[in-house]
Amino acid sequence: MDYKKEIRQKFLDSGIVFTEAELSSIDFADFGLGRIQSEGLNLIVYENNDRYCAKEMVLLAGQTCPEHRHPPRNGEEGKRETFRCRQGSVYLYVEGNPTENIQSTIPEGQESYYTVMHEIELKPGEQYTIEPNIKHWFQAGKDGAVISEFSSPSDDPSDIFTNPAIERVTK
């Protein structure tokens, strides 16, 4: 199946009702790396204004959102976000005591860009809040994942990725 069709179907199969306009606006973020199936993110943004942001994210099995942080900007602390797993499972990695044997597989050749290894597993109905300016990355489990994100305003161009080759906003 074509990648974009597969992602669209995963959104449809999530049990969440989407409008056709929302499904047509899926952001297929490959971070400028050209390997979206291993390092990528697929999202629908419901709302992103000066007070809050809400979005749905879909990842295929083993798909990884690369390590990054949301730094302070415009005199305000960085983005604070809560991830809530809706379907599948997601392994979230944040700063803290490293987990000895993580469940995820770091994308081949990218090991030096994944530096935080404190693992938090989220299953449907579980959530976790990431404080501003904390390095984090996440990877879907074997069945993929659907994740809701609720956060302070999102400003993708200000995100700082550990891998300097990453471009969050593709040119």
Side-chain angles (χ1 to χ4, degrees):
M1 182 185 283
D2 167 277
Y3 178 79
K4 289 184 177 182
K5 286 181 182 176
E6 187 175 1
I7 294 298
R8 180 185 169 94
Q9 192 60 51
K10 192 141 181 79
F11 274 108
L12 288 169
D13 292 344
S14 71
I16 301 168
V17 177
F18 296 99
T19 66
E20 189 54 43
E22 289 167 334
L23 291 168
S24 297
S25 72
I26 297 171
D27 179 1
F28 299 97
D30 78 348
F31 303 103
L33 299 173
R35 51 181 179 265
I36 195 166
Q37 293 186 351
S38 63
E39 288 181 290
L41 185 60
N42 314 283
L43 53 148
I44 291 175
V45 178
Y46 297 124
E47 184 67 36
N48 186 22
N49 59 46
D50 63 344
R51 296 188 52 156
Y52 62 89
C53 179
K55 54 181 89 164
E56 296 296 336
M57 302 181 289
V58 161
L59 293 109
L60 299 177
Q63 194 172 30
T64 306
C65 178
E67 185 176 280
H68 63 286
R69 61 187 176 88
H70 307 288
R73 63 186 194 290
N74 303 326
E76 295 187 19
E77 63 182 0
K79 177 176 150 186
R80 181 178 197 237
E81 57 193 344
T82 298
F83 288 169
R84 183 174 180 90
C85 184
R86 299 290 187 185
Q87 190 176 76
S89 62
V90 64
Y91 298 100
L92 173 63
Y93 299 89
V94 296
E95 295 175 25
N97 292 330
T99 300
E100 195 167 318
N101 295 306
I102 66 169
Q103 297 296 311
S104 294
T105 301
I106 295 173
E108 189 174 337
Q110 304 305 303
E111 295 82 2
S112 64
Y113 302 123
Y114 291 83
T115 65
V116 296
M117 298 294 166
H118 180 77
E119 182 178 270
I120 297 145
E121 180 180 6
L122 298 178
K123 294 179 181 173
E126 297 178 334
Q127 65 186 44
Y128 184 85
T129 299
I130 303 165
E131 296 299 329
N133 211 25
I134 298 294
K135 281 186 191 176
H136 61 284
W137 61 280
F138 51 98
Q139 185 176 92
K142 65 179 178 60
D143 296 321
V146 178
I147 308 155
S148 296
E149 178 190 311
F150 309 98
S151 70
S152 49
S154 183
D155 178 25
D156 293 337
S158 72
D159 293 349
I160 297 175
F161 286 85
T162 305
N163 180 346
I166 288 179
E167 299 172 1
R168 171 52 185 99
V169 181
T170 308
K171 295 174 184 162

